[in-house]
Amino acid sequence: MTSREEQAGFRPGRGCSDQIFTLRRLMEERIRCGRRTVIIFIDFKSAFDCIDRPALWRALAAEHIPVKIIELLQTAYDGSTSQMIKSKVDEEDYWHSSKFKAFTFDDEDDELSRLKESRQAVNNIRRLVEEDDDEDDVERVSWSGEPVGSISWSVKETAASSQRADREPAFPKISTDTPSISRSQSGYSLSSLFKGKPKVGNFQTFSDALTDSSVRLYAPELRKPKSEYKDYVSDWSPEETVQRLQQGKAVSLERFRTLQDKLLLLDLAIAAHDGNVITAVLIYLKRTLCKEVLFRELESRQTALRHFIHYLSETQNQRLLLELHRALGRAEDAALLQYKEHLSITDENKRRDFLKNCLSLPFSAEDLAHVQDHYTLLERQIIIEVTDRQAERGGKVEIFQKFPRKALILNMPLITTLYYCCFYHYTEPEGTFSSPLNIRQNFKISEKQYFVTALAARAKLKAWLDVDALFASRNWLGFTRKKSPLSFQRVVDILQKNSAPTHVLQDYVALVDDGELRLTLAQKHKCHDIVISTYRDMKDRQLLLGYRGKVVRGSAEERKIDDLLSNPQIRWKN
Amino acid sequence: MFTLKNGRLPPADVKNIIFFVRPRLELMDIIADNITSEDRHHSSRDFHILFVPRRSMLCEQRLKEQGVLGSFINIDEYILDLIPYDGDLLSMEYESAFRECYLENDQTSLYHTAKGLMTLQALYGTIPQIYGKGECARLVANMMLRMKREFAGSQNQILPVFDTLLLLDRNVDLLTPLATQLTYEGLIDEIYGISNGYVKLPPEKFAQKKQGEGSKDLPTEPKKLQLNSAEELYAEIRDKNFNAVGAALSKKAKIISAAFEERHNAKTVGEIKQFVSQLPHMQAARSSLANHTSIAELIKDITSAYIIQCFPIKSHYVNTYIEDCIAQKDPLIKILRLVCMQSVCNNGLKHKVMDYYKREILQTYGYEHILTLNNLEKAGLLKPQTGSRNNYPTIRKTLKLWMEDANEQNPNDISYVYSGYSPLSIRLTQILARPGWRSIEEVLKMLPGPHFEERQQLPSGLHKKRQQGENRTSLVFFLGGVTYAEIAALRFLSQVEDSGMEYVIATTKLINGTTWIKSLMDRPESPTQ
């Protein structure tokens, strides 16, 4: 009977450690290729004792073992009983000699045929390893170049300690390769990077080699996120774990079981400043820690906290996010965050209701006032929109026919709303929602803002009487005079932009205080009367003469200039 | 090579499809959409994804949620940290760096910076001296030193190109990007936005006027121009103050016409041959001149109202001006820039003023901007005045930030880039080179974050033997972004004869006030704008 290569039991020089080594290599290869691996350990109870002996003799005969020897063996086994002798002397020998626990997948016995499947699977794996033998020994090198760890399954490695020592050179220590690479490629000059086409390709590989140690060069990337390798047991130190995470390599966080370990891991990740790593650790912590503990620990780690908040908001885990803010006493942040959500609500009624709910959130006092205003505004806009839409469809209100509305008023800023109301609802009594005065009152719009908006709206409609009325203010003697919270120069600007006729402009240009400015404005807007009277007041004959050429020939202005020029009562200064 | 967009992938008879993306979640959704719509048509294609510069846990999770993670044969990263942008300029093109560092407290960008700097050192030698100012600078330096320790034993044997590295936090100088840059390149960026070295301009001015045809059909596509120092004329004028560009252009025009006129002097066949050989070069020069004249004209047409300048004026006027701007409904970003500027210069705004601005901004531009204002406050751009003394005037005077008479035509000081205001960041750089930071300890203490100096041991034999008069080279890294005007100022310093220092600039992102403020806004493209 020939034994297979896999068989280690009952063979000189081979033992349990070989099997362990094989298994470990298998697992490393699988992980390296990003494959899921299932390992089944089968311990056949007293496998060697229960073998059907007649079958064994037949097998021996089939292997052309001389009949004499088979018969000798048969007599030896006839009526035999076995007994175990405990021996401390040589464990290696114990494994080989004992019938007790050694196992092999190589038994041809019929009873085992139902396990064919698993056997086949194991053989396949074995083949895979043999194929890959060339690029052996890549992964088992840590950052510092020391061989990493030992195997921590139920089977201890002690039995093989002597052989292990022999094998160690098989794991090369890769640590000093880098300088040779950098020397060989150091022919770069500054100009090769800056001038002309950058040599991105080389740049890339080189930076790789330098920054990630040469291990990374051989190791193909993993296909699946790290979290899927729960079944992979390794024992990288927290530092190494963080480094591996930074390099995007497979790593299991599951082994960090105690709170202390987890926090150490988190702190190391924070120290690395790589958001990706911090997030990875946080995701693990989120899964394995209860909220209270997690929130408490995050509070003293602001960087991690920000990342966690970012992660939660990106994954739209609003509930946990709000809980977090509340737990940390950052109520205002929480409130703003919730408020932000309104941006993604398109239906105006839903948005309004949402804002209404927001009012009960713990905003800071001033923010609350703004949010309140926001809600009130939207509420109003909805009412105005409904009424105006009907008015427009009804076709009875003249202004909507003359100036059809271009856009919905919903979600417009307050000042735009005010403009809209000044345009369509100017004359309404103060009690209505759409009355400009009501809006001004309700939202405490500053005088200036109100003024500019109303002015622009009425000027657009060419309602010059309204414009005049805006400025009219009675003093206590009952005289009316024009007063404005903004400079008359700005007023003229606004009027002019809305193409006000000269006779309207004139009134306001005349009100500009600064003489020189008034003159330039008057000239620009062709307010001849003002120009002429200013020149008269300046007693500047020459300028007046010059201006005569600019007015229309034969017009009233020309006559006026002529009258002035011939007026003997004026003492011209030139 | 296709740009990523929603829906089906463009049809092509290929087996392998590689997605080359920044690790951003919204891109993952697009990719997922691509793949799911693809699956129905062919199932034989192989997908690969490469993240630049790093893989991201969140992105992979998102792909997994969308159920497409398994479709990828390879998921890997392409480590490209620093991208060479010009002869002396490296950028990481990491838009959100400032927001992440100062608003979200996410230091990933700093980690990438440190990695990038390690790569740079691997190529150009260990930089013996590291200076820095600011929290982030400190962190980057720490990371670099730690990474170096981890590679202990792998001594870099390259003669160092850079003598010093200066790491500067953006929040040391928040003021500079808020003002409008007044160099030629800076203005192009402010008005039209330079993206990836290209600018898109309105086409009207670039219509080819051919005789006979007339200009009936004006091009409607925006004109796309590449801008970098490879273009001789652009290299000459890019860093000039805009007021000096006109003169430079007309001078160039004269030179070119003179060169064309020379053909009349060409008598012999040899001379004509020489003239003809120069023709292509001259043609190129002429078309580049035409382009830049058009751009200069375009910029000139933009009214001066656009420009935000930094000048000492009484806060009373500032208040009124900002108020007026709001009343005129100027773009929100402009208002925010002005308000932030006032806050930074005065070490905060008075409570009353701040409330007033807030109310006005929210009323005029929409209440949802509470979030934006909140962000600006968190980033330190907007803050209420506290009891402490305003030390900005001291900083300003000690560092000579405001120069009365900036010479725009023939600059003698870096303040020309903002027509009278010198960027604080560049002044710090200048003083570091000479006479050294020790002279301004007091001011450095007033600025946020620690300042520090670190040395990295060079292996013996690599110490530079400097010849007399040879310039030292300094790498200046702006964490959180740099403006074109600041770059121009550094280039100016490199050119000044007695500075003895040449500068290479690196940054996380090229910014201007608009893009910068935008990066701090929540949902800048809200429907109300």
Side-chain angles (χ1 to χ4, degrees):
Chain A
M1 187 201 286
T2 48
S3 300
R4 294 205 179 174
E5 176 58 24
E6 287 92 330
Q7 163 116 22
F10 307 102
R11 285 187 148 199
R14 306 263 308 257
C16 190
S17 58
D18 290 278
Q19 301 288 27
I20 294 168
F21 175 73
T22 311
L23 266 170
R24 179 163 183 144
R25 290 285 309 123
L26 273 171
M27 279 171 33
E28 283 170 351
E29 283 303 316
R30 296 286 295 173
I31 285 156
R32 198 175 65 72
C33 305
R35 304 293 157 142
R36 219 182 160 83
T37 310
V38 178
I39 299 179
I40 305 167
F41 289 92
I42 303 165
D43 192 353
F44 295 116
K45 192 183 171 192
S46 340
F48 288 89
D49 305 359
C50 319
I51 287 173
D52 181 21
R53 292 206 181 119
L56 193 61
W57 311 140
R58 281 202 298 280
L60 285 173
E63 293 288 331
H64 306 292
I65 306 288
V67 182
K68 191 175 180 183
I69 293 180
I70 298 175
E71 280 173 357
L72 266 172
L73 283 168
Q74 277 173 340
T75 46
Y77 273 92
D78 226 347
S80 66
T81 53
S82 74
Q83 185 182 8
M84 202 184 96
I85 302 149
K86 248 191 175 173
S87 150
K88 283 184 195 168
V89 190
D90 194 339
E91 284 185 327
E92 187 84 273
D93 281 348
Y94 165 75
W95 283 111
H96 288 311
S97 56
S98 161
K99 298 168 179 176
F100 200 58
K101 223 183 169 183
F103 59 85
T104 167
F105 292 115
D106 196 31
D107 217 303
E108 302 264 24
D109 197 288
D110 290 320
E111 271 182 34
L112 301 173
S113 60
R114 59 199 153 105
L115 287 162
K116 225 176 205 163
E117 216 178 280
S118 84
R119 187 194 314 151
Q120 205 168 356
V122 173
N123 288 341
N124 284 346
I125 300 170
R126 174 73 206 172
R127 222 171 292 134
L128 191 129
V129 174
E130 277 162 359
E131 276 166 21
D132 282 356
D133 259 356
D134 300 354
E135 41 171 305
D136 221 351
D137 304 325
V138 174
E139 284 286 315
R140 274 205 62 176
V141 178
S142 80
W143 192 254
S144 57
E146 303 294 338
V148 193
S150 62
I151 308 161
S152 53
W153 318 317
S154 55
V155 185
K156 283 261 153 63
E157 236 183 331
T158 44
S161 57
S162 61
Q163 290 181 342
R164 196 179 141 69
D166 294 339
R167 204 169 286 117
E168 229 170 286
F171 308 128
K173 297 186 183 185
I174 307 174
S175 65
T176 45
D177 291 5
T178 330
S180 66
I181 297 174
S182 60
R183 257 196 302 281
S184 66
Q185 298 215 2
S186 64
Y188 280 101
S189 66
L190 182 62
S191 56
S192 73
L193 178 65
F194 289 146
K195 302 254 160 64
K197 285 175 201 151
K199 296 181 180 173
V200 180
N202 292 336
F203 193 81
Q204 162 66 10
T205 49
F206 185 52
S207 72
D208 236 353
L210 201 103
T211 47
D212 285 341
S213 102
S214 32
V215 178
R216 224 185 97 69
L217 286 179
Y218 318 128
E221 271 309 325
L222 296 164
R223 286 189 60 218
K224 303 259 165 63
K226 301 109 207 176
S227 52
E228 287 198 4
Y229 295 98
K230 291 168 204 156
D231 43 0
Y232 177 53
V233 186
S234 70
D235 50 357
W236 278 293
S237 73
E239 288 86 355
E240 287 160 341
T241 307
V242 168
Q243 272 161 2
R244 286 182 66 87
L245 276 172
Q246 274 181 294
Q247 295 158 29
K249 284 192 203 162
V251 95
S252 160
L253 300 176
E254 303 295 323
R255 61 173 297 274
F256 299 98
R257 288 207 186 87
T258 65
L259 179 62
Q260 205 185 348
D261 279 354
K262 286 174 188 171
L263 291 178
L264 177 64
L265 191 68
L266 181 60
D267 286 335
L268 285 166
I270 294 169
H273 299 285
D274 187 339
N276 209 18
V277 178
I278 299 176
T279 310
V281 175
L282 282 172
I283 292 172
Y284 172 64
L285 293 192
K286 176 180 158 244
R287 206 177 62 226
T288 56
L289 287 177
C290 74
K291 271 181 290 200
E292 288 71 28
V293 177
L294 180 60
F295 291 174
R296 187 189 69 216
E297 295 300 337
L298 284 178
E299 196 169 3
S300 56
R301 294 169 176 83
Q302 286 297 316
T303 313
L305 179 62
R306 282 297 335 184
H307 276 92
F308 195 56
I309 291 171
H310 183 67
Y311 165 69
L312 292 181
S313 52
E314 289 293 1
T315 49
Q316 280 156 10
N317 194 339
Q318 291 291 342
R319 203 177 45 76
L320 192 58
L321 197 49
L322 287 171
E323 257 174 69
L324 173 65
H325 278 304
R326 246 173 252 142
L328 299 179
R330 298 161 59 147
E332 288 180 27
D333 285 354
L336 277 174
L337 195 84
Q338 189 145 18
Y339 168 75
K340 188 178 177 177
E341 267 187 74
H342 87 265
L343 288 172
S344 50
I345 303 174
T346 42
D347 180 76
E348 65 270 11
N349 288 310
K350 277 188 195 142
R351 197 185 250 216
R352 180 194 57 197
D353 297 343
F354 183 84
L355 285 172
K356 192 174 183 184
N357 286 333
C358 280
L359 291 177
S360 60
L361 295 172
F363 285 106
S364 68
E366 52 182 74
D367 283 349
L368 183 62
H370 294 313
V371 176
Q372 170 81 55
D373 279 356
H374 192 172
Y375 163 67
T376 324
L377 177 65
L378 185 60
E379 195 183 23
R380 248 168 215 250
Q381 284 172 339
I382 291 172
I383 297 170
I384 297 173
E385 179 63 35
V386 172
T387 338
D388 287 4
R389 199 182 298 148
Q390 278 173 356
E392 197 174 24
R393 288 221 188 102
K396 297 229 170 70
V397 187
E398 188 192 355
I399 190 154
F400 289 115
Q401 304 301 311
K402 233 164 132 186
F403 301 96
R405 300 186 309 153
K406 287 191 189 85
L408 298 186
I409 193 62
L410 297 171
N411 294 322
M412 288 294 165
L414 176 61
I415 298 298
T416 317
T417 315
L418 180 66
Y419 181 87
Y420 174 91
C421 289
C422 284
F423 200 88
Y424 291 112
H425 303 281
Y426 194 62
T427 50
E428 278 173 26
E430 210 170 310
T432 64
F433 272 139
S434 48
S435 143
L437 286 172
N438 187 311
I439 291 180
R440 176 186 179 178
Q441 193 81 38
N442 229 299
F443 292 94
K444 296 186 191 65
I445 294 171
S446 73
E447 197 189 2
K448 212 172 187 175
Q449 279 277 21
Y450 178 76
F451 222 82
V452 174
T453 316
L455 183 65
R458 297 324 284 172
K460 181 96 189 164
L461 280 173
K462 311 219 182 299
W464 307 120
L465 284 179
D466 286 342
V467 170
D468 280 347
L470 261 179
F471 293 97
S473 86
R474 261 169 224 285
N475 65 6
W476 56 278
L477 282 171
F479 292 115
T480 56
R481 64 190 184 91
K482 291 203 158 85
K483 233 179 80 181
S484 157
L486 67 160
S487 71
F488 279 104
Q489 188 199 347
R490 284 283 316 281
V491 175
V492 174
D493 259 7
I494 295 171
L495 289 175
Q496 198 261 332
K497 261 185 212 144
N498 290 295
S499 53
T502 316
H503 71 92
V504 177
L505 276 177
Q506 197 162 293
D507 290 349
Y508 294 93
V509 172
L511 288 168
V512 176
D513 277 336
D514 184 53
E516 230 165 279
L517 191 63
R518 184 168 62 228
L519 198 59
T520 25
L521 280 175
Q523 283 174 342
K524 195 169 136 200
H525 302 306
K526 299 204 167 50
C527 304
H528 301 306
D529 280 350
I530 295 172
V531 180
I532 294 163
S533 52
T534 310
Y535 285 148
R536 186 197 60 206
D537 294 347
M538 286 160 68
K539 305 196 190 319
D540 198 324
R541 195 187 157 89
Q542 295 304 321
L543 284 177
L544 197 57
L545 262 172
Y547 200 69
R548 192 174 175 272
K550 284 183 194 160
V551 296
V552 184
R553 214 161 260 259
S555 63
E557 285 84 12
E558 198 187 36
R559 248 173 288 134
K560 196 175 169 189
I561 293 175
D562 288 339
D563 286 350
L564 281 174
L565 286 174
S566 55
N567 191 336
Q569 282 177 351
I570 301 173
R571 287 191 196 163
W572 300 106
K573 68 175 178 186
N574 47 17
Chain B
M1 179 92 79
F2 294 98
T3 326
L4 197 61
K5 56 175 179 251
N6 263 316
R8 278 190 63 189
L9 292 166
D13 188 21
V14 286
K15 176 104 177 92
N16 291 298
I17 290 177
I18 304 172
F19 293 99
F20 213 65
V21 286
R22 290 273 181 191
R24 292 216 310 267
L25 290 178
E26 61 273 22
L27 298 179
M28 296 307 114
D29 294 345
I30 299 178
I31 289 177
D33 187 39
N34 281 174
I35 290 180
T36 39
S37 56
E38 182 71 9
D39 269 343
R40 282 177 239 126
H41 306 285
H42 322 256
S43 48
S44 59
R45 283 183 173 176
D46 287 349
F47 295 105
H48 313 267
I49 189 163
L50 284 174
F51 289 107
V52 187
R54 292 272 154 23
R55 303 166 57 137
S56 138
M57 193 79 196
L58 283 176
C59 287
E60 282 171 42
Q61 276 229 329
R62 174 63 66 96
L63 288 176
K64 198 173 164 191
E65 276 166 31
Q66 304 267 17
V68 293
L69 189 69
S71 317
F72 290 103
I73 307 281
N74 279 310
I75 298 178
D76 210 329
E77 59 195 14
Y78 179 63
I79 305 166
L80 181 66
D81 285 318
L82 286 162
I83 303 161
Y85 222 78
D86 215 321
D88 56 354
L89 181 59
L90 294 160
S91 170
M92 288 168 64
E93 290 303 288
Y94 199 109
E95 293 91 337
S96 52
F98 185 84
R99 186 188 169 104
E100 283 177 9
C101 285
Y102 297 99
L103 206 62
E104 289 167 0
N105 212 352
D106 173 351
Q107 284 144 355
T108 312
S109 62
L110 301 182
Y111 171 71
H112 291 172
T113 306
K115 280 266 187 193
L117 281 168
M118 292 313 282
T119 314
L120 203 71
Q121 290 192 75
L123 290 166
Y124 300 117
T126 309
I127 304 173
Q129 273 182 311
I130 304 176
Y131 296 92
K133 170 77 192 159
E135 297 282 349
C136 296
R138 182 70 260 183
L139 287 173
V140 171
N142 286 349
M143 275 187 261
M144 284 171 68
L145 295 174
R146 200 181 72 191
M147 286 177 193
K148 190 171 155 66
R149 269 203 308 281
E150 281 167 4
F151 290 117
S154 60
Q155 282 283 7
N156 191 334
Q157 297 296 328
I158 301 165
L159 198 71
V161 173
F162 300 108
D163 299 285
T164 56
L165 165 67
L166 172 60
L167 296 161
L168 278 178
D169 270 30
R170 184 73 270 174
N171 81 337
V172 170
D173 179 11
L174 290 172
L175 187 58
T176 303
L178 292 173
T180 305
Q181 313 168 53
L182 295 176
T183 58
Y184 181 55
E185 188 171 36
L187 271 174
I188 297 177
D189 188 35
E190 293 273 347
I191 297 170
Y192 298 107
I194 299 174
S195 83
N196 306 329
Y198 282 91
V199 66
K200 279 184 183 161
L201 297 161
E204 295 81 31
K205 290 256 180 192
F206 296 94
Q208 290 280 326
K209 283 187 195 106
K210 279 179 193 155
Q211 277 122 357
E213 281 180 40
S215 49
K216 277 174 219 150
D217 36 18
L218 282 170
T220 45
E221 286 281 297
K223 168 108 174 158
K224 207 171 165 192
L225 270 183
Q226 191 180 12
L227 298 173
N228 62 39
S229 284
E231 194 182 337
E232 196 186 321
L233 177 63
Y234 187 63
E236 205 174 296
I237 60 172
R238 65 193 300 185
D239 297 326
K240 280 193 190 309
N241 186 295
F242 185 68
N243 286 333
V245 167
L249 284 176
S250 77
K251 202 172 113 197
K252 190 79 183 175
K254 276 182 198 134
I255 294 172
I256 291 176
S257 343
F260 271 99
E261 285 311 307
E262 255 177 43
R263 69 180 185 274
H264 299 300
N265 304 337
K267 294 280 190 291
T268 67
V269 176
E271 276 168 355
I272 290 175
K273 199 171 175 189
Q274 201 192 351
F275 176 81
V276 170
S277 74
Q278 281 175 351
L279 258 181
H281 176 71
M282 282 159 62
Q283 294 283 16
R286 196 167 69 169
S287 82
S288 125
L289 180 70
N291 280 339
H292 286 291
T293 314
S294 308
I295 298 175
E297 277 168 7
L298 278 172
I299 293 176
K300 233 183 171 125
D301 291 345
I302 307 281
T303 48
S304 62
Y306 186 87
I307 287 169
I308 302 169
Q309 249 182 303
C310 193
F311 272 124
I313 15 174
K314 287 211 179 86
S315 64
H316 170 70
Y317 291 115
V318 178
N319 292 350
T320 333
Y321 179 68
I322 294 179
E323 198 182 59
D324 284 350
C325 287
I326 296 177
Q328 284 172 39
K329 299 212 180 108
D330 282 351
L332 175 62
I333 301 238
K334 180 186 171 185
I335 308 291
L336 293 177
R337 278 169 84 166
L338 284 167
V339 173
C340 291
M341 193 181 240
Q342 196 186 357
S343 166
V344 172
C345 286
N346 295 306
N347 198 17
L349 292 170
K350 288 205 185 81
H351 216 276
K352 223 177 76 191
V353 179
M354 177 113 144
D355 282 352
Y356 180 73
Y357 284 156
K358 270 194 179 176
R359 172 169 288 271
E360 292 276 289
I361 289 172
L362 295 180
Q363 287 187 345
T364 311
Y365 299 96
Y367 285 104
E368 63 274 19
H369 291 295
I370 297 177
L371 299 164
T372 303
L373 292 176
N374 215 283
N375 284 349
L376 292 175
E377 268 184 76
K378 273 189 201 151
L381 277 162
L382 200 62
K383 56 182 174 185
Q385 219 159 37
T386 46
S388 65
R389 216 169 62 85
N390 176 14
N391 45 27
Y392 187 74
T394 325
I395 298 171
R396 194 186 78 210
K397 275 177 204 135
T398 320
L399 298 181
K400 296 199 198 80
L401 294 189
W402 287 344
M403 306 291 277
E404 286 298 319
D405 45 350
N407 189 336
E408 293 167 353
Q409 305 292 331
N410 297 302
N412 50 13
D413 182 76
I414 54 169
S415 61
Y416 85 95
V417 296
Y418 284 98
S419 290
Y421 164 74
S422 13
L424 179 114
S425 52
I426 310 304
R427 197 61 102 195
L428 287 181
T429 316
Q430 190 183 11
I431 292 175
L432 179 66
R434 186 181 297 173
W437 274 358
R438 204 154 293 167
S439 60
I440 51 162
E441 283 279 335
E442 286 295 305
V443 171
L444 283 176
K445 274 186 199 138
M446 290 175 191
L447 297 169
H451 57 279
F452 59 89
E453 179 185 346
E454 298 282 353
R455 279 171 191 281
Q456 298 199 86
Q457 277 295 290
L458 285 179
S460 54
L462 284 187
H463 292 286
K464 236 186 200 175
K465 288 169 198 76
R466 199 174 306 284
Q467 266 140 34
Q468 196 72 36
E470 191 187 322
N471 275 344
R472 292 157 59 81
T473 310
S474 177
L475 176 68
V476 187
F477 204 115
F478 293 88
L479 301 163
V482 70
T483 63
Y484 284 101
E486 287 172 296
I487 295 169
L490 277 180
R491 285 185 183 142
F492 168 77
L493 285 182
S494 296
Q495 281 158 17
V496 172
E497 277 164 27
D498 58 352
S499 71
M501 193 57 110
E502 272 185 45
Y503 294 99
V504 173
I505 304 131
T507 183
T508 48
K509 172 78 186 165
L510 290 159
I511 56 167
N512 60 43
T514 309
T515 56
W516 189 43
I517 296 285
K518 240 186 203 160
S519 78
L520 290 172
M521 290 169 81
D522 268 309
R523 292 263 216 124
E525 274 82 39
S526 62
T528 49
Q529 278 202 323

